[in-house]
Amino acid sequence: MTHQRRLLIQIIQNADGHVDALALWERARAQDPTLNKVTVYRTLGLLKKHGLVDELDLMHLQGEKHYYEARTIRDHLHLACIKCGRIQEFESSLFEKLKGQIERERRFHIKVVRLEAGGLCDRCQG
Amino acid sequence: MTHQRRLLIQIIQNADGHVDALALWERARAQDPTLNKVTVYRTLGLLKKHGLVDELDLMHLQGEKHYYEARTIRDHLHLACIKCGRIQEFESSLFEKLKGQIERERRFHIKVVRLEAGGLCDRCQG
DNA sequence: TTACGTGCAAAAAATTTGCAGTTTC
DNA sequence: GAAACTGCAAATTTTTTGCACGTAA
């Protein structure tokens, strides 16, 4: 556990929204200007592998980058408005049931699940 | 509607699995060697925008590329085995219910949904 | 014919790799 | 002290852009 990792993890945990790799790098550099971009990618890879962060596309509303968030206890899904760009999160017991159904009917052991929807949010309709 | 587009659309429609942009290009070039990679990307962008194809990550099991599939009448979700790489598809009325719940409770008008899970398939457990 | 699509070349964006040196435990 | 981690530079992979020419309707 190096101080670089500690810093990156702390930033992801405390981030309110979703950060992409370069945004994470920017924020980390504010506190440790020597921290390298490569370290960001390597750390993200590690955290992903250990299930501590989840990776999202958020419908690629701006470019092909990925977004990251600290994993929460309960899975949630993401709604990306293609008009205003707002990202909403949504928790649902139906989602939990659906996961259960997959595990049972396919005998598939889920490690990561990612549900993203793109469309128009309530503010952007009509 | 150019013959390049017609060809690309036909390949995606008839593809059994999921193709990435370069695989699509390879297959297209077999029939039209002058067809350019850029045209593939541009056509995919168009088809995506019009909701004719869906874009997937499939857990980025091999690299950061995207995979594409022709949109079907009923949405389905994707299960990617992180051990053997097998991709399974799964349809569920719970999935449909969940989408309904999102549209109702958030007044979110869904245009695209993408549900991907990573984990261990039945063959790869134990 | 005219707006739209394509190819080509080049660039941009996102991510990975090799290696030598430096930390962590 | 050994194993693991980092920075640096350079490479790879994936996708986008500018522009002149060509083609479908």
Side-chain angles (χ1 to χ4, degrees):
Chain A
M1 177 57 67
T2 60
H3 69 91
Q4 288 94 330
R5 277 193 195 166
R6 224 183 316 266
L7 175 55
L8 290 170
I9 291 168
Q10 182 216 306
I11 293 172
I12 297 178
Q13 301 277 7
N14 297 348
D16 47 342
H18 307 93
V19 235
D20 66 84
L22 267 74
L24 178 55
W25 186 39
E26 296 292 326
R27 296 191 197 183
R29 274 199 297 179
Q31 301 196 226
D32 175 358
T34 69
L35 196 150
N36 197 279
K37 203 197 306 195
V38 176
T39 300
V40 173
Y41 281 108
R42 286 198 271 232
T43 303
L44 282 173
L46 208 72
L47 295 175
K48 235 188 317 184
K49 201 176 77 182
H50 288 77
L52 298 171
V53 304
D54 283 325
E55 187 176 61
L56 302 166
D57 277 10
L58 299 181
M59 291 295 137
H60 290 309
L61 257 32
Q62 46 229 321
E64 296 299 305
K65 57 193 158 202
H66 291 113
Y67 298 87
Y68 300 90
E69 66 177 12
R71 190 170 293 186
T72 47
I73 300 124
R74 244 170 102 79
D75 281 323
H76 55 271
L77 48 92
H78 293 89
L79 310 177
C81 179
I82 53 177
K83 194 164 172 197
C84 71
R86 178 162 67 121
I87 307 295
Q88 296 181 72
E89 302 192 346
F90 189 73
E91 273 190 16
S92 161
S93 61
L94 276 175
F95 189 24
E96 300 302 318
K97 283 200 190 107
L98 177 54
K99 290 193 295 178
Q101 186 191 32
I102 294 164
E103 300 223 317
R104 241 179 304 110
E105 294 189 12
R106 287 292 168 98
R107 290 187 177 71
F108 187 90
H109 180 238
I110 297 175
K111 298 250 191 211
V112 207
V113 65
R114 182 168 145 188
L115 173 35
E116 305 183 42
L120 292 172
C121 73
D122 52 350
R123 301 177 194 159
C124 291
Q125 287 173 47
Chain B
M1 177 58 66
T2 60
H3 69 92
Q4 288 96 329
R5 281 194 190 164
R6 226 184 313 269
L7 174 56
L8 290 170
I9 291 168
Q10 182 216 307
I11 294 172
I12 298 178
Q13 301 277 8
N14 297 349
D16 46 343
H18 307 95
V19 235
D20 65 84
L22 267 72
L24 178 55
W25 186 41
E26 296 294 324
R27 295 191 198 181
R29 274 200 298 179
Q31 300 194 229
D32 176 358
T34 70
L35 195 149
N36 196 279
K37 203 197 305 193
V38 176
T39 300
V40 174
Y41 281 108
R42 285 198 270 233
T43 303
L44 282 173
L46 208 73
L47 295 175
K48 237 190 312 184
K49 202 175 76 182
H50 288 76
L52 298 171
V53 304
D54 283 324
E55 186 177 62
L56 302 166
D57 277 11
L58 300 181
M59 290 296 135
H60 289 310
L61 258 32
Q62 45 230 323
E64 295 299 304
K65 58 191 157 201
H66 291 114
Y67 297 88
Y68 300 89
E69 67 176 12
R71 188 170 295 184
T72 48
I73 300 124
R74 244 170 102 80
D75 282 322
H76 54 274
L77 47 93
H78 293 89
L79 310 176
C81 180
I82 53 176
K83 196 165 171 195
C84 70
R86 178 161 67 119
I87 306 295
Q88 296 181 71
E89 302 192 346
F90 189 73
E91 273 190 17
S92 162
S93 60
L94 276 175
F95 189 24
E96 300 303 317
K97 284 200 190 107
L98 176 55
K99 290 194 295 177
Q101 187 191 30
I102 294 163
E103 301 224 315
R104 241 178 305 109
E105 294 189 13
R106 288 292 168 99
R107 288 189 178 72
F108 187 91
H109 181 236
I110 297 175
K111 298 249 191 209
V112 208
V113 236
R114 186 168 143 186
L115 173 36
E116 306 184 41
L120 292 171
C121 74
D122 52 349
R123 300 178 194 158
C124 290
Q125 287 172 49

